[in-house]
Amino acid sequence: MLSRPRSTIAQAARVFATVSLAAAVAFAGSQTAFAQGVPVVRDAEIEALVRDYARPIFRAAGLANDGIDIVLVNDSSFNAFVTGRRLFINTGALMTAETPNEIIGVIAHEAGHIAGGHQQKLRDQLERAKTMAIIATLLGAGAIVAGATTNSRGLAGAGMGVAAGGGEMAQRSILAYQRTEEITADRSAITYLNATGQSGMGMLKTFHRFQTALSLSGAQVDPYRISHPMPQDRIANLEVLVKQSPNVDKIDAPALQQRHDMMRVKIAVYMEGQAAATRLMQKMRGSMAALYGDAQSAYLYGNIAAALTKTNALIKAQPRNAYLQELRGDILMKANKPADAADAYSKAVSLDPARSGLLPVSLGQALMAVGTPDSLKQAVVRINDGLGRDKENSTGYRYLAQAYGELGDIPGAELATAEGHFYSGNYKDAKIFAMRAQQQMKRGEPRWIRAQDIINYKSSGKSQ
Ligand SMILES: [Zn+2]
């Protein structure tokens, strides 16, 4: 998203320099304290869809009250896993799956692991912000397992090379991976799918692909395959269960399938490049998803006028789709029409059934770009609203700091910067900015107290 450069008062400009320098390091990578090291990607539409996939399954698994967050990982390999309160899912998995049912099946299987309390130790390790390092280890150790079960010498050999660099404990954990746990998770998954009136065919299809193909993504080894060994008898047992189910022939509701297709095309356009996106869109020719991809592609590759025309046509077809309004807002920002963009984002916020915290922040950015004192004040309200819905949106604090700075509220800007560092897991800089903010605040006022909380925070490796 682009925002127009604006003139600022000298004092605010000084703060910005500090903010952006520090921010460049803190905000570039991780989005949450917990997910440090994982390339997290945020998107209101995709998060809402995956949450819609997961919600009934978690309810059936008795996990509805666990408040499990969805975290999208920007990675083209196939992976999905749950640790603690977070469901991680790779964009590669979402793009590979042809139906919602395939992803729902994988979520159901993961829910089976959580509900069964499987591999708690391993899952806890994953939670301690070492996710990628552990995955690298699993890739090494697990490849040996996979190689041993499939007699694929090449894979086993590749595994050993990577494993040599991995931690011995993590290797033992994964090598001790209980076959019975996989079978139990499969059975639980079928129970949840039956309880929600859904077929297990999607899960079976995904697992079949893992069994027969080396990789779904073209990457050397998909992490999911590594953490989920799929010997022949396991798949055969699952197949029996799936086919016994009265829901075996159920397919996803057409509206859900359409949202899924729109998501796949979006991921293809943003993550896989124009050629991959075009290939996918050709398979969906004439569909809403193909037209959506076409509009996204025009926006991304700079044909702003065409993007706006295409998006307006889509909005005519789906006037209550919040994410089409969001795209319209993005396009209008790029076209340097922030007031119109704010109007579109405002519609997106009011139409969004999932109440994403991201959309009010986009609205706030557009209002900042409008640049009048009144719109700046509105921007602060909107961004705070977004952060209230989603505290861990560290990018949001950067815009909040900027908005406060432009309004001349320097301690407000410093505190927002402190929050941004805090939710990025960068506690040292968070404390520095919190102390700077306090110097200009009245002792005991609410913002001073919040700054004090950050100063007093003792990092225990957990984000909350
Ligand atoms: Zn499993």
Side-chain angles (χ1 to χ4, degrees), residues 78 80 101-110 113 181-187 189-190 193 200-214 216 224-225 227-232 234-239 242:
F78 195 107
N101 189 248
E102 289 169 44
I103 293 297
I104 292 167
V106 168
I107 293 172
H109 176 90
E110 289 307 300
H113 280 310
E181 290 190 351
E182 283 309 310
I183 291 164
T184 308
D186 288 342
R187 290 214 173 117
I190 296 295
L193 290 167
M201 284 302 282
M203 178 170 60
L204 190 62
K205 187 177 170 192
T206 299
F207 289 178
H208 252 308
R209 279 190 304 205
F210 275 115
Q211 192 189 26
T212 51
L214 182 62
L216 303 183
Y224 194 80
R225 181 192 167 102
S227 56
H228 291 80
M230 303 202 189
Q232 204 85 51
R234 177 184 162 204
I235 305 284
N237 287 337
L238 180 61
E239 191 154 3
V242 168

